[in-house]
Amino acid sequence: VSQSRYNTTLGLGIDMALFAHRVDLSLDVYRTHNQHLIMPVSISSAFGVNYLYSNVASTLNRGFEAGVRATLIRKKDVNWYVGASLSTNIDKVVSLGAQNSLVLEMEDGSALITQVGKPVYAFYGYETRGILAGTNQALTAGKDGKPLTNFVGTPFQAGDVWFVDQNDDGVIDDRDRTILGSAAPKWH
């Protein structure tokens, strides 16, 4: 059953004009709760697809925008304004229905994760420490000074990417993937 998406927003703002509009200031803050967002829901691949789309998600967005504009020249035929603004938006997944997270695998091997308590569609993958610089480093990069191995047991060699073993089991596999960041900038 499809439901309409809706949101509840609370916003406060103030605008000030100073010195006969030579300097204008503005500040806005907001909080928006979005509900019944359409998201893919994992299902058994026995149905021929991995996901169904349903109105299961809710998010919380909050942020602010501040701006200033100055009139440098005000003449009969010419006005020159200079302005700047700064804003931020913090989004957080509040609910994904019956699931806690959803990983979307892309055809190019990259992945995005949507997880309760985190931003929507965060980059998801393997954190790295750099390159295994030499044989000795490769032989001691894993748990208890042993070599790190991939999911089939093959040890990483000098010159390979040095992946972070997130769960400290000496094996780099899907359980070592982590949130790498978000495409949304912190400041605009």
Side-chain angles (χ1 to χ4, degrees):
V1 174
S2 180
Q3 298 174 326
S4 296
R5 182 193 104 160
Y6 66 90
N7 60 43
T8 307
T9 300
L10 174 63
L12 293 160
I14 186 169
D15 294 315
M16 292 189 325
L18 306 171
F19 313 114
H21 279 285
R22 295 291 257 185
V23 176
D24 296 327
L25 303 171
S26 66
L27 177 65
D28 296 292
V29 294
Y30 63 89
R31 181 181 186 276
T32 302
H33 187 202
N34 302 294
Q35 295 180 303
H36 301 295
L37 299 174
I38 297 174
M39 292 291 289
V41 177
S42 299
I43 61 169
S44 169
S45 59
F47 293 104
V49 294
N50 293 325
Y51 304 103
L52 274 179
Y53 289 87
S54 185
N55 299 78
V56 296
S58 65
T59 62
L60 182 64
N61 295 327
R62 56 190 167 87
F64 77 89
E65 181 173 352
V68 61
R69 184 180 84 163
T71 305
L72 299 180
I73 297 174
R74 185 184 295 159
K75 300 286 184 186
K76 180 180 176 187
D77 296 329
V78 162
N79 290 318
W80 183 15
Y81 304 103
V82 174
S85 66
L86 179 67
S87 65
T88 188
N89 178 61
I90 299 168
D91 74 318
K92 180 173 81 171
V93 176
V94 176
S95 172
L96 289 171
Q99 53 193 4
N100 186 47
S101 66
L102 170 70
V103 177
L104 295 175
E105 305 282 347
M106 304 299 150
E107 290 181 19
D108 65 359
S110 63
L112 300 172
I113 187 169
T114 299
Q115 184 176 4
V116 173
K118 303 291 183 186
V120 177
Y121 295 127
F123 298 124
Y124 188 62
Y126 298 98
E127 184 180 358
T128 64
R129 287 199 173 119
I131 302 295
L132 292 166
T135 303
N136 190 47
Q137 191 177 50
L139 290 173
T140 60
K143 183 176 181 179
D144 299 326
K146 296 180 180 171
L148 271 178
T149 64
N150 64 17
F151 67 97
V152 293
T154 305
F156 288 94
Q157 305 292 318
D160 288 342
V161 174
W162 188 355
F163 295 104
V164 175
D165 186 10
Q166 300 289 343
N167 61 354
D168 201 30
D169 66 355
V171 178
I172 301 300
D173 56 19
D174 277 350
R175 293 174 293 181
D176 293 304
R177 295 195 299 178
T178 188
I179 293 176
L180 300 173
S182 172
K186 291 184 180 177
W187 299 99
H188 305 267

